Every structure is written in C-alpha cells, then in structure tokens.
Amino acid sequence: MPIITLTTDFGTKDHFVGAVKGAIYSTISDAKIVDVSHEISPFNITETAYILKNTYKNFPEGTIHIIGVDSELNEENKHIALLLNGHYFVCPDNGIISMIAAEINPSKLVEINIHDRLETSFSVLDVFVQVAAHIARGGTLEVIGKPMQDFKRLFELQPQISDEHHKIIGNVIYIDNYGNIISNITEKLFKEVGKGRDFILKASRYNFKKIHHKYSDIVDFKLPTHLRQTDGSRLAIFNSAGFIEIAVYKSNLKTVGGASSLLGLDYRDNITIEFLK
Amino acid sequence: MPIITLTTDFGTKDHFVGAVKGAIYSTISDAKIVDVSHEISPFNITETAYILKNTYKNFPEGTIHIIGVDSELNEENKHIALLLNGHYFVCPDNGIISMIAAEINPSKLVEINIHDRLETSFSVLDVFVQVAAHIARGGTLEVIGKPMQDFKRLFELQPQISDEHHKIIGNVIYIDNYGNIISNITEKLFKEVGKGRDFILKASRYNFKKIHHKYSDIVDFKLPTHLRQTDGSRLAIFNSAGFIEIAVYKSNLKTVGGASSLLGLDYRDNITIEFLK
Amino acid sequence: MPIITLTTDFGTKDHFVGAVKGAIYSTISDAKIVDVSHEISPFNITETAYILKNTYKNFPEGTIHIIGVDSELNEENKHIALLLNGHYFVCPDNGIISMIAAEINPSKLVEINIHDRLETSFSVLDVFVQVAAHIARGGTLEVIGKPMQDFKRLFELQPQISDEHHKIIGNVIYIDNYGNIISNITEKLFKEVGKGRDFILKASRYNFKKIHHKYSDIVDFKLPTHLRQTDGSRLAIFNSAGFIEIAVYKSNLKTVGGASSLLGLDYRDNITIEFLK
C-alpha cells in the first residue's frame, strides 16, 4: 500500500487535484493518497519548502512525495526524482529540494526522461503520476531517468550572525493559519550562538526577553479567569517545528487579527536577537 | 481498518494536517483518515461541537475522533480519551464533549497520562496520534490514562422558554457555507413547547409564520419559471440536523449574499418564537 | 475497493462532507472516497460541469461520481443514476449531465425511486449515499430506479461561428485558481474552423496572434534572467483540458492579480477569434 503525498499550488476548487488522484488510482489501485497542501501561494517555493520540511519525516520511509509547484518543464526547469533520507520526491529541479534538506545528500538522483515529444503544461498529471506509479511498483529510478550529480541549489533566506556572535539577524519566512510569524532562526542556532546569555528579541517595535515552549506559558493560572487578560498578548515561542515564532495568544485573523496583522510584520521582514554582555 | 477522523482549527495550508496524517500512517498503516473539518474558527469550541454533533453518528461504531481545537496541555486543559455512544474521542477536556453530547454518559473516560516530561505545543501530533494508535490496535483506555469521573461541563447557549410556554428565545449558534443562520432551537423543542399552536418566528426585523422541511417548499411550481422570483427569498426551515434555520433561497455569500449578511444576523443574536393563543 | 468521488458546493468547514463520508464508510467499509471539489460556487452547475468533465475520465471505469450541487428533490428536480462512458453518476436531473457529456448517450439511465415518504433537504446523505452503496455492491440500477429515456438537456454557452467561418465568438466559462480565464472555444473547434489561417484573438482590449501550448513558451531563455520581464505577461494558451485560455504568466490573485482581475474579464464575457484572409 504505497503512500503518495501531494503538495501543490492548485487550490482545491479546480479539477487539477481530482484529475491527478483519478490518474493515480487508475495506475496504482491500492495507493494511499495524502494531501499535504494545495494552498501554497502560486509559484512560492519558500512556502512549499517550509511546509514539506515539517511534514515529510512524519511519513513512513518509502513514501513518495509529489511536488506540483512551478513544475512546468522547460529548458531551465527539468523534472527530477530522488531518494533522500529514505523518502522519494518527484518534483521540478527548481531549488525546492535544497530548501527542504540542504544538508542531506540524496542516495539516488535522476533527471526524468520519459517525457513524450509533446510537452504539456500539466506535468503533475502527465509525468509525475507515471513516475510515482513506477516507484510504487518497486521500479528503479534509472529506468525513468538519467542519473545526475546534483540538483539545483537555491538557498532560502539564511539568518546572519554578527562577527562577535552578539546578534542574530533573521527574517520572517512563513505566516501560518493563526497569523503567527515564523522566523528562519531555529532553536538550535539560537542556543549555539547565545550559549545561555540573556537577550532581547526585536520584532517590529516590540521586544521580547523570553522565548517559551508552549503558548499557554504566558497564562498566570493563579489569577481568577476574568483577571488574566492573556487573549491577544504577544509572545515569542520555539514552535513545534523548531523555529522561533512570534505569536498572539488565541489570535484569529478573521476577527481580532493575528501577529502578522497586529505587529505589521510580513514575509522577509527582520527578526533580530541581541545577546547581552 | 480503523477509521480516524480529524476535526481541527489548523486550516489546510500549513504543515499541521499533513504532519498528523504522516504520523498516523507511520503507526497504523491501514488506518482510514477522514477530515471532518480543519476550518473551525481558531479556538472556537461552539463551532466544533455543532459540526461534530452532526457528523460523528454517521460513522461506524468504534471510529476514533481526534479533536484538535484549543488542545494545548496546561493545568486547566487536560487531555482526555473516552468511549461515548460507541465512538472514541481523543480531545482536550475543555467542555467540548459536554457540548457534543451533554445527555449521554461516557461508558469509559480517562485523563491521558502518557505525556513525556517535556510538554509540547503540538498535542495532536505528539500525544493524540499515539492515543488513537493505541485504541486502533485494540488497547484499553486504562493503559494510556487514569480513569476519571466526569469531564468538564460547559453548556452552550441554551434556548430559554418563557414561564407559560408562550415563547422560546433562542440564539444563532452557527452560520453555514451558504450564509444560512442556524439557531439552537431544535424541531423537537419547538414541537414540545408549541404543541401545534400557530406562531410568529422573529429573526432580526423579519417574521415567519411557517417552518419548512425543504428549501424548495417556497417555490410555486405552477407558475412559469420567469414569474417565480424565489431566488433570494427568506424562509425558515427545520434543517437536516434538526435545528431551526433561517435561510435565503439559493443564496451565495460571495455574490448576492446570504441570510447572515442580508438579515444582518450574527453569532449569538436572538431568534424568537412567539406562540399564539 | 469501489471508488466514490464527491463534487459538491458544501464547502469544507460545515458538517456536510464529514457526515456523507461517515455514512459511506458505514455502508461500504472498503470504499475509497475522493474529493473532486467542494468549493463549487453555490448552485453553479456550469462550474460543476467544467470541473467534472476534466476529472472523471482520469478515474478507472466503474467509479461512482456523486454530484451534490442543487440536488434537493422537487417536482422539477428529480434524482437520477446512470452509467455513462463506463462511469456511474448519481446526481440531480438538472441538466448537469448534458453539460458534462452532451455527445455521449448513457448505456443505462434511471430515475431514482427509493425516497422515503418524508423528503429531506440533505439528498446526498439521505439518498445518493444509498444509491452509491447499492452500485458499489454490484447492484443494478433498475433496483433503485425506474428506467427513463433521457435526462434533462441544458446546454452551456456554446461558441458561435460566423456564416463564412471567419469568426468564432466564444465566452468565458471558468476562472481558475490562478485567475486564468477559460473560454468555451476548444483547440479542436479552433483548428476545424481556422484551418491553419492567421488570426487575431480578442479578449477585453487585448489582442493575441499566437496560442501557446505551455506557459513558459513566452520566456526567451537566451536572455539573462534579469532582462526577461515575463512575470505578469499576458498569453493565450491551449490549456491542458483542451480549451483556449487567457493567462498571466506566474500570476497570483492575492498579490499582483491574475488574468481575470488584470484584464477585467468575468464569467460570460466574450472572447473572439477573427481569422484573416
């Protein structure tokens, strides 16, 4: 029962996702198809990388991940298939893989060469499904592609560290369903650079001196409920994906707003940590 | 083939839902996972209750329902697992269960105690999936939790009935995909109190003297199509979930509007029924 | 393992989709349920037809397609079940089938007659699921319905061809997730009428003299990247569904806009092709 995941910018209204699922079931009748996300902003591979990076390892090894974001074949955007960290990926060679797992080398990597002469604009349906079916049947990558040395390297925004390790300058890389702002500063980097020093985290015009592990850490449970006033409070947190996040407690983008709207922070804006002493 | 349903406020763009599904398939490879809803308004347990109340009984007995709304563990929000009406629920003890089925006592109920020392902010992934997997393998609740007497009771808005049974004062509890307004007055209550008397249903500044069972009841099929003018008409209906609903015939929230926008009614507003005689 | 697809205007927040899936699994425990779309604009059968027309053939023969758009039973909107082109459809007799496959005659067609005396407003749950289950178990259509001669014919907007074949006047029939505008002029019709002649395609106040097969056809890969300026460029394309589409290269409805917003074109607007000579 092979598992095939789909991560695309197709949206869920149009026929694209349904057509791809139909084609998969027509070829691999016992496939399990899982939607990772179809709500990626059109052509946005930074978002795609953040989402897949935090998803793929939860699946069993051998899972096949199809990425349908900016996947039209052209002379600068080849199609590749690879085995990386025990997982198969079928995707365009547009840098996405280096953003998902820059530090890991794929154990197998091929440029897909099963394209018919007529190239199409719906690569996921016409090419990726066939490649996934081949892998699901236990076929080797060499049959559907030509071995290659490396994929395209494209580095997402990296946090900068000041010369004397007094400062980390990061950026907003993702805004989630609650409007919470995710930076590219990981808990790991924060600890390596900070070595336990006190610090000031600066996001927009707000300062934070503590980074929590749970949202409700800011609630004082000793106070009676009506005196707490935590809803709408700002906090910094190491989120469950391991990144520093600026959140608003119990926010709601459609009503009271979230961190993104309330703090006026957007994609690529700076999040800075200054270590004291 | 255990069935596991997911009801969350995660949205469908972020990595949360995909990560949870991957973790479930990694543990229970033959699970059937069903999305009930991921579009719950953030932290809104009234919406969650309305949706699950009208969904869960359609699934076979033994189905495991995971609820990921306001589920971060803290000293006032414990995690519980229970068997209720033949269905398993894994959820926070935040009142949600009493709003889904206040009248039924669970045949088993435990406070989950398999948490690691480090508490996380992603309870559904880190705790609920393990509990569901345990249940899916036929494990007993006592292994993953400590038996408890009762869950937290939190009553949703209840309709008030006037002393002499001349009036029911209800409230808007849900607004659906068509903009239709659902009240907390059930067909059952309406009939018990009204006993067949004539009535006036008041919603905003509109009065209704009849409650239908089908939307198209208001169409006069004897008239030629171009004379019907039913699109956009207001009606009261006992909806398929058994509640009194104010609808606009063939409404569309994105174009002509729906009952909520056209009648200016919002969550918690009053819907009143006055019985005559 | 029968496959059942769902195409509805229910949205994904409410309990409707979850309730239907629960009922299906309760009856056909080994069903594979596939969401084609639940984001159809309320009651819009033109959208439904465009989406299903481009989806259903990708599924294996024998797949059962449930259509829940404008499906409440009334004297002018009967329920039908049919076998068409190897696929089963369970849907209202509201013209939708003629818009999906006007040119194909169903090999079997019945008017569903298993309704209980009390008619409900949730036909998909109360009727269509039972019919699908019956078909999935290998039952014949005659058992759940009365054979009928033909379904309701309702023709979607058809392109007009001028007397001397100098002109095709088409219309916008769909706007997709990227804001691209899809016309009702197929590549087949374009070639039959045009017979290789030069042409001017007119959409809003823009003219196109070429229709591409891939979006990236408009990129001049010989130029260095920073000189290309293709993002945001307009182009006409034969889309993967076989229709002429007006697109904006790498558009994004939420930021820079798409063809629909940038060209000011909406549903039903004209797209005209004038052949030269």
Side-chain angles (χ1 to χ4, degrees):
Chain A
M1 208 141 36
I3 300 177
I4 298 175
T5 81
L6 303 176
T7 307
T8 78
D9 60 2
F10 295 164
T12 49
K13 174 174 177 177
D14 299 348
H15 68 280
F16 304 120
V17 175
V20 166
K21 289 182 177 176
I24 292 175
Y25 285 132
S26 289
T27 328
I28 331 166
S29 62
D30 65 339
K32 264 189 200 294
I33 305 174
V34 183
D35 302 301
V36 168
S37 182
H38 298 294
E39 311 297 330
I40 308 279
S41 303
F43 309 101
N44 190 323
I45 63 176
T46 306
E47 278 187 11
T48 313
Y50 181 77
I51 290 169
L52 258 177
K53 186 158 56 183
N54 296 322
T55 306
Y56 86 90
K57 286 182 211 165
N58 290 290
F59 284 87
E61 292 209 349
T63 295
I64 303 161
H65 305 278
I66 290 179
I67 306 174
V69 178
D70 192 18
S71 64
E72 192 182 78
L73 184 75
N74 62 52
E75 60 180 273
E76 291 182 0
N77 198 30
K78 304 302 185 186
H79 291 160
I80 57 177
L82 57 152
L83 178 60
L84 182 96
N85 207 10
H87 289 254
Y88 290 96
F89 292 85
V90 183
C91 58
D93 189 16
N94 58 9
I96 182 76
I97 291 295
S98 66
M99 293 167 76
I100 293 174
E103 72 293 359
I104 311 172
N105 282 320
S107 44
K108 286 181 189 177
L109 173 63
V110 302
E111 181 187 329
I112 296 168
N113 59 11
I114 59 161
H115 307 89
D116 292 338
R117 223 126 18 101
L118 181 65
E119 292 173 2
T120 76
S121 60
F122 196 175
S123 302
V124 175
L125 181 69
D126 299 324
V127 178
F128 291 4
V129 168
Q130 285 184 57
V131 171
H134 173 78
I135 298 170
R137 284 188 297 258
T140 60
L141 295 187
E142 292 75 16
V143 172
I144 50 82
K146 192 169 48 107
M148 58 193 290
Q149 285 308 308
D150 202 5
F151 43 71
K152 191 166 168 186
R153 300 273 164 183
L154 192 73
F155 295 97
E156 63 187 309
L157 287 174
Q158 295 293 331
Q160 292 181 288
I161 299 156
S162 69
D163 281 351
E164 313 211 328
H165 280 214
H166 288 341
K167 206 172 183 177
I168 303 176
I169 305 169
N171 306 85
V172 176
I173 54 166
Y174 194 81
I175 295 170
D176 77 9
N177 187 52
Y178 306 89
N180 293 336
I181 291 161
I182 290 111
S183 78
N184 54 358
I185 307 174
T186 61
E187 181 168 7
K188 188 162 169 281
L189 181 73
F190 172 83
K191 287 185 171 162
E192 280 171 7
V193 175
K195 294 185 196 302
R197 286 178 289 174
D198 284 344
F199 63 91
I200 298 172
L201 187 161
K202 299 187 170 181
S204 175
R205 55 197 184 78
Y206 300 98
N207 291 345
F208 303 84
K209 295 182 174 178
K210 196 165 165 38
I211 305 178
H212 300 277
H213 276 93
K214 287 170 57 186
Y215 298 96
S216 54
D217 276 351
I218 63 162
V219 181
D220 182 354
F221 289 106
K222 294 193 205 86
L223 284 179
T225 318
H226 67 284
L227 291 178
R228 285 182 192 170
Q229 304 185 316
T230 39
D231 287 20
S233 296
R234 292 174 294 276
L235 73 151
I237 187 169
F238 297 115
N239 75 10
S240 59
F243 293 86
I244 290 177
E245 171 182 312
I246 311 299
V248 162
Y249 191 65
K250 301 219 172 175
S251 58
N252 183 334
L253 278 180
K254 287 189 189 143
T255 55
V256 292
S260 54
S261 52
L262 296 172
L263 280 70
L265 278 167
D266 205 351
Y267 181 58
R268 285 181 178 268
D269 284 349
N270 277 350
I271 304 280
T272 307
I273 297 170
E274 291 177 19
F275 294 100
L276 307 178
K277 243 188 326 172
Chain B
M1 205 140 37
I3 300 178
I4 297 174
T5 82
L6 303 175
T7 306
T8 78
D9 60 3
F10 294 165
T12 49
K13 175 175 176 174
D14 299 349
H15 67 281
F16 304 120
V17 175
V20 166
K21 289 182 178 177
I24 292 175
Y25 285 131
S26 290
T27 328
I28 332 164
S29 64
D30 65 339
K32 263 189 199 297
I33 305 173
V34 183
D35 302 301
V36 168
S37 182
H38 299 294
E39 311 297 331
I40 307 278
S41 303
F43 309 100
N44 191 324
I45 64 175
T46 306
E47 277 187 11
T48 313
Y50 180 77
I51 290 169
L52 259 177
K53 186 158 55 182
N54 296 322
T55 307
Y56 87 90
K57 286 183 210 166
N58 291 288
F59 284 87
E61 292 208 349
T63 295
I64 302 160
H65 304 278
I66 290 178
I67 305 174
V69 178
D70 193 17
S71 63
E72 194 181 76
L73 185 75
N74 63 52
E75 60 181 271
E76 291 182 0
N77 199 28
K78 304 302 184 187
H79 290 160
I80 56 177
L82 57 151
L83 178 59
L84 182 95
N85 206 9
H87 290 255
Y88 290 97
F89 292 84
V90 183
C91 57
D93 189 16
N94 58 8
I96 182 76
I97 290 296
S98 66
M99 293 167 77
I100 293 174
E103 73 292 0
I104 311 173
N105 282 320
S107 44
K108 289 182 188 177
L109 172 64
V110 302
E111 182 186 329
I112 296 168
N113 60 10
I114 60 163
H115 307 91
D116 291 338
R117 224 128 14 104
L118 179 65
E119 292 173 3
T120 76
S121 60
F122 196 175
S123 303
V124 175
L125 182 69
D126 299 324
V127 179
F128 291 3
V129 167
Q130 286 183 58
V131 172
H134 173 78
I135 299 171
R137 283 188 298 259
T140 60
L141 295 187
E142 291 74 18
V143 173
I144 50 83
K146 191 169 48 104
M148 57 193 289
Q149 285 308 307
D150 201 6
F151 43 73
K152 191 166 170 187
R153 300 272 163 183
L154 191 72
F155 295 96
E156 63 186 309
L157 288 174
Q158 295 292 332
Q160 293 181 287
I161 299 157
S162 69
D163 280 351
E164 314 212 327
H165 279 214
H166 289 341
K167 208 172 183 178
I168 304 175
I169 304 169
N171 305 86
V172 175
I173 53 165
Y174 195 81
I175 295 171
D176 78 8
N177 187 53
Y178 306 89
N180 293 335
I181 292 160
I182 291 111
S183 78
N184 54 358
I185 308 175
T186 60
E187 182 169 4
K188 188 161 169 284
L189 182 71
F190 172 83
K191 288 185 172 161
E192 281 171 8
V193 175
K195 295 185 196 301
R197 286 179 288 174
D198 284 345
F199 63 90
I200 298 172
L201 188 162
K202 298 187 172 181
S204 175
R205 56 198 183 83
Y206 300 98
N207 292 345
F208 302 84
K209 296 183 173 176
K210 196 164 165 35
I211 305 178
H212 299 276
H213 276 94
K214 288 170 58 186
Y215 299 95
S216 55
D217 276 351
I218 63 163
V219 180
D220 181 353
F221 289 106
K222 294 193 206 88
L223 284 179
T225 318
H226 67 285
L227 292 179
R228 285 182 192 170
Q229 304 185 317
T230 39
D231 288 21
S233 296
R234 294 174 294 275
L235 73 152
I237 186 170
F238 296 116
N239 75 10
S240 59
F243 293 86
I244 291 178
E245 171 183 312
I246 311 299
V248 162
Y249 191 65
K250 300 218 172 174
S251 59
N252 183 333
L253 278 179
K254 288 190 187 141
T255 55
V256 292
S260 54
S261 51
L262 297 173
L263 280 69
L265 278 167
D266 205 352
Y267 181 59
R268 285 180 178 269
D269 284 350
N270 278 350
I271 305 279
T272 307
I273 298 170
E274 292 176 20
F275 294 100
L276 307 178
K277 245 185 328 170
Chain C
M1 206 141 35
I3 300 176
I4 297 174
T5 81
L6 303 176
T7 307
T8 78
D9 60 3
F10 295 164
T12 49
K13 174 174 177 176
D14 300 347
H15 67 281
F16 304 119
V17 175
V20 166
K21 289 181 178 176
I24 292 175
Y25 285 132
S26 289
T27 328
I28 331 167
S29 64
D30 64 340
K32 264 188 199 296
I33 305 175
V34 183
D35 302 302
V36 168
S37 181
H38 298 295
E39 311 296 332
I40 307 278
S41 303
F43 309 99
N44 191 323
I45 63 175
T46 306
E47 277 186 12
T48 313
Y50 180 77
I51 290 169
L52 259 177
K53 186 158 56 182
N54 296 322
T55 306
Y56 87 90
K57 286 183 212 165
N58 291 289
F59 284 87
E61 292 207 350
T63 296
I64 302 160
H65 305 278
I66 290 178
I67 305 174
V69 178
D70 193 18
S71 63
E72 193 182 76
L73 185 75
N74 62 52
E75 59 181 273
E76 292 182 359
N77 199 28
K78 303 302 183 186
H79 291 159
I80 56 176
L82 57 152
L83 178 59
L84 182 95
N85 207 9
H87 290 254
Y88 289 97
F89 292 85
V90 184
C91 58
D93 190 17
N94 58 8
I96 182 74
I97 291 295
S98 66
M99 292 167 76
I100 292 174
E103 72 293 359
I104 311 173
N105 283 318
S107 45
K108 288 182 190 178
L109 173 64
V110 302
E111 182 187 328
I112 296 168
N113 58 11
I114 59 162
H115 307 91
D116 291 339
R117 223 123 23 98
L118 180 66
E119 292 173 3
T120 76
S121 61
F122 196 175
S123 303
V124 175
L125 182 69
D126 299 324
V127 179
F128 291 3
V129 168
Q130 286 183 56
V131 172
H134 173 78
I135 298 172
R137 283 188 298 258
T140 60
L141 296 187
E142 291 75 16
V143 173
I144 49 82
K146 190 168 50 103
M148 57 193 290
Q149 285 307 310
D150 202 6
F151 42 71
K152 191 165 168 187
R153 300 273 164 182
L154 191 73
F155 295 97
E156 63 186 309
L157 287 174
Q158 295 293 330
Q160 293 180 287
I161 299 156
S162 69
D163 281 351
E164 312 211 329
H165 279 215
H166 287 341
K167 209 172 181 177
I168 304 176
I169 304 169
N171 306 86
V172 174
I173 53 166
Y174 195 82
I175 296 171
D176 77 8
N177 187 52
Y178 306 89
N180 293 336
I181 291 160
I182 291 110
S183 77
N184 54 358
I185 308 175
T186 61
E187 182 169 5
K188 188 160 168 282
L189 181 71
F190 171 82
K191 287 185 172 161
E192 280 172 7
V193 175
K195 294 187 196 301
R197 286 179 287 174
D198 285 345
F199 64 90
I200 299 172
L201 187 162
K202 298 187 171 182
S204 174
R205 56 198 181 81
Y206 300 98
N207 292 345
F208 302 84
K209 294 183 174 176
K210 198 165 163 36
I211 305 177
H212 300 276
H213 277 92
K214 288 169 57 187
Y215 298 96
S216 56
D217 276 351
I218 64 162
V219 181
D220 182 354
F221 289 106
K222 294 193 205 87
L223 285 178
T225 319
H226 67 284
L227 291 179
R228 285 182 192 168
Q229 306 185 314
T230 39
D231 287 20
S233 297
R234 293 174 293 277
L235 73 151
I237 187 170
F238 296 115
N239 76 9
S240 60
F243 293 86
I244 291 178
E245 170 182 312
I246 311 299
V248 161
Y249 191 65
K250 299 218 171 173
S251 59
N252 184 334
L253 277 180
K254 288 190 187 138
T255 55
V256 292
S260 53
S261 51
L262 297 173
L263 280 70
L265 277 168
D266 205 351
Y267 182 58
R268 286 182 177 265
D269 284 349
N270 278 349
I271 304 280
T272 307
I273 298 170
E274 292 177 19
F275 294 100
L276 308 177
K277 245 187 327 168

